[in-house]
Amino acid sequence: MIRIGNASGFYGDRFAAVNEMLTGGELDYLTGDYLAELTMLILGRDLMKDPNRGYAKTFLRQMRENLALAVEKDVKVVVNAGGLNPAGLAHALRELATELDVDARIAHVEGDDLRSRAEELDLGQPLTANAYLGAWGIVECLRGGANVVVTGRVTDASLVVGPAAAHYGWSPEDYDALAGAVVAGHVIECGAQATGGNYAFFTELDSLDRPGFPIAEIAADGSSVITKHDGTGGAVSLGTVTAQLLYEIAGPRYAGPDVTARFDTIQLAEDGPDRVRISEVRGEPPPPDLKVCLNTLGGFRNAVMFVLTGLDIEAKAELIKRQVHAALADNPPAEIDWTLARTDVEDAPTEQRASALLQCAVKDTDAAKIGRPFSGAAIELALASYPGFTVTAPPSDASPYGVYRAAFVDAKAVPHVAVAPDGTRTDIAPAARTQQLTEVAEPALPEPLAVGPTRRVPLGTIAGARSGDKGGSANLGVWVRSEQAWRWLVHTLTVDELRRLLPETAELPVTRHVFGNLLALNFVIDDILGQGVASQARFDPQAKGLGEWLRSRHIDIPEELL
């Protein structure tokens, strides 16, 4: 098996993880995921300020400390830190290698950036427009002898699929092997989320203070074992792997540019301490279109958070609302939104627990209108409004916000170019065989559990959950750890029951997908995040806590499961 580690799950992850992975044990490849939908917007704004930027500068700093070590250990590094400027990052890395006197061969992959062709491809006028490329550009770079491969926007799993395909000589039609590597890549792409981070049952782990980063040991047939370096914190278990498998997915067909992986075929098994085997994954030809991440600047946003303490919370909220609306009546913002969080409790032992939070958020295309004129108007009411008036921050200026949407373009219309260390450019052909995505029929459900006495307790007493964002939608995966609990869950947690437990979803489109092989359900909740994380449409804009909210809700659970 080859050992492929991960040292970054997002732009801002643990800086020392690269060194920890290189020094903590044996590796063949080290990957790093630095990009997300929001990150592309951040990099796009960086590029507006300086055309030489647009990449994840953190990775360059990490390589200053670790490039020589990686070359010495013969660990190939594959990252998507190139963002909107992979050629620029590759150039900076070559300069760094010269400065450090390290014989490092740097290659990069480009072609995903479609900004200059946005109008031609009917994509509007976005700030960023990046197609999700696959693994074969990475494969070409590695076969050409690169020590470091930098990409722009490729699928997260491609960072793992590329090294595996290059090592084993897979062809583009080795669908099952590719699908297995996609699943392994999906598990380790988010770093410590596979080793106990954000894990629903975290209180069961011995040590989560500093979890290690994950490793995928991938075999020639695409099967894998997920593990971590010996002696590191956290844990790799059926639970931590299941949780990550359910992260940011939709239905059983997980589509990518190289292969569609069937998540309903995944089989998990314990393989020793901190080792989970993934096998039996089946793959299908990819769809003919590539997904494109589009970000635009939506305008400007500002907010004031009022603290309401003690008695008459609702009346205090109504008073300040009327006063703020009156103050803005001559030049009102395009959007104004109020959110009252009743965090207060009756007869509270502390002032903080006696207080509720009322947020007033405004949006407009004119930054001046909702800058100090807005927040200042709110503060001017300090001595003329509800008793106990206070806010959580002083007046502030407006800040820009982004709008995300996804589009799809024919893969044949998107260039995919591998640029070797010597500058040689190789065009990567799109998939020769494709297959349109279709829905998978819901599988036959197991017999319902014969329910005896029940107890009303939080759902999380027996069920784990993990949630996240995909544009304006959220996914919420829920799993249990026994066949008995599964027989209860799959018949109990319907779409209607989810809507009852989470009233915020009551009027939204919700789709349920059944993964009996994982004892899991996945719910896709459309429109709950508005125009995406950068629009800040919701208290939890990336839906990271949505699953934990669900787990905290009380439901009648059979006593035999408790």
Side-chain angles (χ1 to χ4, degrees), residues 25 45 79 108 169 223 228 261 271 346 404 418 420 430 451 511 538:
R45 291 173 58 190
V79 297
H108 74 275
S223 63
K228 62 187 183 70
D271 193 60
E346 189 174 350
Y404 165 86
V451 176
T511 305
R538 187 174 178 273

Side-chain angles (χ1 to χ4, degrees), residues 379-414:
I379 300 303
E380 286 178 358
L381 297 168
L383 303 182
S385 188
Y386 63 88
F389 181 107
T390 188
V391 295
T392 58
S396 61
D397 291 323
S399 59
Y401 73 90
V403 173
Y404 165 86
R405 70 180 177 91
F408 294 87
V409 299
D410 189 330
K412 296 184 177 66
V414 179

